[in-house]
Amino acid sequence: MSDDDLDLSSLDDAELVEQMHDDLYDGMADEIAEGTRILLDRSWGPERVLNDALVEGMRVVGEDFRDGILFVPEVLLAANAMKAGMAILRPLLAETGAEQVGKVVMGTVKGDIHDIGKNLVGMMLEGAGFEVIDLGINIDVDTYLAALEEHKPDILGMSALLTTTMPYMKVVIDTMVERGIRDDYIVLVGGAPLNEEFGAAVGADAYCRDAAVAAETAEALVLARRLVGGED
């Protein structure tokens, strides 16, 4: 029997979740949406569907991307499939008040219009259970600061692909310092020409070399901050 002939509703819960991991890996958006609905119809809560079927599936995608087994086009397909499931789950999660891992405001810095890497990071963060506010490309310091004020995220993420736009990250961070709000946020930076030394030099909390690392780093830093701050 080919995948096209597979009746997802005929699978038991464990088999269906396993199949959804495979379908996510293969970027099959329609199947992910169908599997999500089937689990919900079987009285699975939206948070359980998110964590067991989608986040766990994207974790494998992220690891294989990090290890060079999967490449950007395949990860974009997987992330697109994840979005199909999230479109169904998001309103249900909002209704139940399910706690998210955290909130991220992100964008590509002023002068830079590259967004594939940023989009990948956003999708991986969503896959890890974060709420993501993507400001887009060519974002100036005032737009970043206004978004921080409006959304009160845990993390600010900045991306750059041009060496000429990289220094703008320091402009944003320095302005945050001047306003006395730098310590209120975790700042992550990424992009092909960056490295750890640059991240440290501009005053970021961490440099993330790819989308999988960004998701892992974001989770670890948010958790660490909450433990230190004694938050719930």
Side-chain angles (χ1 to χ4, degrees):
M1 183 186 287
S2 72
D3 269 0
D4 293 339
D5 301 325
L6 183 62
D7 178 5
L8 294 179
S9 62
S10 70
L11 304 176
D12 68 28
D13 288 5
E15 291 170 335
L16 178 55
V17 167
E18 195 63 41
Q19 183 62 44
M20 287 176 72
H21 293 168
D22 292 344
D23 289 344
L24 200 54
Y25 197 90
D26 295 333
M28 299 168 76
D30 291 345
E31 286 77 1
I32 290 299
E34 184 185 349
T36 298
R37 290 192 188 96
I38 291 169
L39 288 174
L40 290 170
D41 287 343
R42 293 180 184 177
S43 300
W44 278 46
E47 205 165 353
R48 186 180 175 199
V49 179
L50 173 66
N51 291 326
D52 292 8
L54 301 185
V55 171
E56 181 57 26
M58 280 304 282
R59 185 185 63 76
V60 177
V61 171
E63 286 178 354
D64 281 3
F65 177 55
R66 183 192 62 207
D67 295 341
I69 297 165
L70 288 179
F71 299 96
V72 168
E74 294 148 317
V75 177
L76 285 172
L77 277 173
N80 196 51
M82 168 90 188
K83 276 180 141 176
M86 285 300 296
I88 297 164
L89 293 177
R90 194 175 283 117
L92 300 174
L93 289 165
E95 279 175 25
T96 60
E99 189 179 343
Q100 292 185 294
V101 177
K103 189 185 291 187
V104 182
V105 162
M106 61 187 297
T108 305
V109 296
K110 184 180 177 183
D112 207 317
I113 58 168
H114 294 89
D115 68 353
I116 289 179
K118 171 186 64 63
N119 293 349
L120 261 180
V121 170
M123 290 171 182
M124 291 297 290
L125 286 168
E126 278 210 327
F130 282 90
E131 179 185 350
V132 177
I133 296 98
D134 187 345
L135 303 178
I137 56 174
N138 193 27
I139 303 302
D140 63 22
V141 63
D142 291 336
T143 306
Y144 280 121
L145 294 182
L148 293 179
E149 177 63 30
E150 178 184 351
H151 298 288
K152 300 281 191 265
D154 301 281
I155 296 173
L156 170 64
M158 291 186 285
S159 167
L161 198 68
L162 302 173
T163 53
T164 50
T165 60
M166 286 164 52
Y168 197 77
M169 292 177 172
K170 183 164 169 44
V171 173
V172 176
I173 294 172
D174 285 352
T175 305
M176 291 171 70
V177 172
E178 288 166 17
R179 302 272 179 94
I181 61 169
R182 170 63 188 89
D183 292 340
D184 296 341
Y185 306 97
I186 296 163
V187 179
L188 303 180
V189 296
L194 280 66
N195 55 34
E196 284 186 28
E197 290 74 17
F198 176 82
V202 297
D205 290 290
Y207 150 75
C208 305
R209 65 180 165 82
D210 63 38
V213 171
E216 291 169 7
T217 303
E219 279 188 277
L221 290 178
V222 166
L223 181 61
R225 176 169 282 217
R226 286 184 181 160
L227 287 172
V228 170
E231 292 182 33
D232 292 334

